[in-house]
Amino acid sequence: MSKPFQAKEKRIVNCKTVDVNQLMPMKYDWAWEHYLNGCHNNWMPEEVPMSRDIAQWKSGSLKEEERLVILRNLGFFSTAESLVGNNIVLAIFRHVTNPEARQYLLRQAFEEAIHTHAFHYIVDSLSLNPHEVFGMYNEINTIHNKDAFEMTLTEEVLKPGFTTETAEGLQSFLKNLIGYYVIMEGIFFYSGFAMILSFQRKNIMPGIGEQFQYILRDETIHLNFGIDLINTVKSENPEVWTPAFQEEVVAMVDKATWLEYMYAKECLPKGVLGLTSNLFLDYVRYIADRRLERIGLKPLYGSPNPFPWMSECIDLEKEKNFFETKVTQYRMGASLSW
């Protein structure tokens, strides 16, 4: 009979001494904490009423510029959420050898499915053309370019014979994690959040705004988990975090920041409700600097934050009224804090 394993024997990747199915005893309490936080934040799209959105959309009261912002963001998010879910299931899960981290990944994959469900619900509620919305990544270059940037990172990890047991393979895996957690969920999503939540603050399409607020809550936990995952891989494998590789990561973030700025220009060709693409250039750079700092890199831009109110949308301690207005109240929602 083999001896009971010790928690210290666990490794986030490339663990061969502990069975991947043995959850207890835990080594990474942070992974379990993120899992519990995700469970406390449970929601379903149909719980959000869409009657006011339907009335606004069909009344003709929205300007064309406002409708464009809404449609472009629905088009981007509707497929981007699926890309993230596919990457978790096909690329990340198989190479993470720690069970408590895998437990969270299962939860996150479910949440990505809920987010895709939300966009189906919005499209159906507003009687939008589903081919136009869900096919926008094939038609709009700025959306296609962001998705293509991410898909190359999944393709690398899915190549036959790929392994994280070499330095090169582990660096490719880290690029995938950074590309999806830091860039896709931590940068690409945040322009859309700011646009739609700006509308919600003015009572424009409040049902969509409420669902985006739920999605933002989920994505904040995804980002926090991803940062902890990346930093744990780094700490357990410091030999791969070379100066040259760090420069490569910074170049990835810089390219992503430009792609997101071009997307903001596509959504706001003339500006609307005080929002301009230049404001979003500052915001995306501000967000990118914060993400770089959290993985141990120096900020790149030094841009100001033009949307300080966005922090209130993340901080649940300031958003208790949000939960009080829900049809199905979150008993444990206020337990989350950042």
Side-chain angles (χ1 to χ4, degrees), residues 17-274:
T17 58
V18 177
D19 192 313
V20 74
N21 297 308
Q22 293 180 271
L23 180 65
M24 302 290 288
M26 288 185 192
K27 179 178 180 180
Y28 306 108
D29 291 334
W30 55 263
W32 189 251
E33 182 179 351
H34 292 314
Y35 167 75
L36 293 177
N37 284 342
C39 293
H40 295 164
N41 207 31
N42 200 57
W43 68 288
M44 290 297 291
E46 285 89 350
E47 295 168 349
V48 179
M50 289 291 291
S51 55
R52 291 171 63 192
D53 297 63
I54 295 167
Q56 286 184 5
W57 191 259
K58 294 185 176 180
S59 69
S61 62
L62 295 180
K63 298 177 182 178
E64 284 303 312
E65 293 87 351
E66 295 167 345
R67 296 169 78 93
L68 178 68
V69 170
I70 293 164
L71 287 172
R72 288 290 183 267
N73 278 289
L74 293 178
F76 168 63
F77 278 92
S78 62
T79 46
E81 298 285 3
S82 294
L83 286 180
V84 175
N86 290 342
N87 189 66
I88 291 168
V89 175
L90 299 175
I92 298 178
F93 191 86
R94 62 190 297 208
H95 295 293
V96 170
T97 54
N98 172 260
E100 50 264 39
R102 279 189 161 195
Q103 181 80 0
Y104 179 78
L105 289 171
L106 292 171
R107 172 71 201 186
Q108 184 186 348
F110 167 73
E111 289 174 358
E112 303 301 351
I114 294 300
H115 299 172
T116 302
H117 179 178
F119 295 108
H120 174 278
Y121 174 55
I122 292 168
V123 167
D124 195 44
S125 297
L126 300 181
S127 301
L128 302 177
N129 183 339
H131 300 290
E132 177 187 357
V133 175
F134 280 83
M136 207 173 288
Y137 77 107
N138 284 322
E139 304 295 332
I140 306 300
N141 285 338
T142 56
I143 295 176
H144 172 82
N145 292 342
K146 292 199 293 180
D147 288 352
F149 174 89
E150 297 292 340
M151 285 189 284
T152 58
L153 301 174
T154 303
E155 289 168 4
E156 179 68 24
V157 177
L158 293 180
K159 286 180 179 178
F162 177 82
T163 178
T164 58
E165 295 185 9
T166 66
E168 294 79 9
L170 195 50
Q171 285 179 334
S172 293
F173 187 61
L174 268 174
K175 283 198 294 183
N176 180 286
L177 296 178
I178 292 167
Y180 275 88
Y181 283 110
V182 174
I183 292 175
M184 176 69 104
E185 298 189 281
I187 296 176
F188 284 170
F189 283 6
Y190 273 72
S191 287
F193 290 145
M195 291 179 201
I196 297 299
L197 294 177
S198 290
F199 279 32
Q200 185 195 33
R201 283 159 61 87
K202 295 177 173 62
N203 288 317
I204 298 174
M205 306 304 282
I208 292 178
E210 189 170 333
Q211 291 182 73
F212 265 72
Q213 203 162 11
Y214 286 127
I215 293 170
L216 172 58
R217 294 267 154 68
D218 293 342
E219 297 297 348
T220 301
I221 303 174
H222 299 179
L223 173 63
N224 290 338
F225 170 83
I227 294 292
D228 284 337
L229 179 60
I230 291 162
N231 286 335
T232 301
V233 173
K234 284 170 47 188
S235 67
E236 293 185 354
N237 306 272
E239 70 280 0
V240 303
W241 196 246
T242 64
F245 184 67
Q246 292 178 44
E247 289 180 8
E248 194 173 349
V249 169
V250 171
M252 283 175 57
V253 171
D254 189 41
K255 178 179 179 180
T257 300
W258 181 252
L259 290 175
E260 189 61 13
Y261 170 57
M262 298 307 291
Y263 169 74
K265 290 182 68 174
E266 171 73 39
C267 293
L268 300 162
K270 299 179 181 178
V272 62
L273 299 178

Side-chain angles (χ1 to χ4, degrees), residues 284-293 299-303:
V284 172
R285 286 177 168 175
Y286 171 81
I287 289 294
D289 278 349
R290 304 292 77 75
R291 307 306 182 236
L292 287 168
E293 287 176 322
L300 190 59
Y301 304 107
S303 295

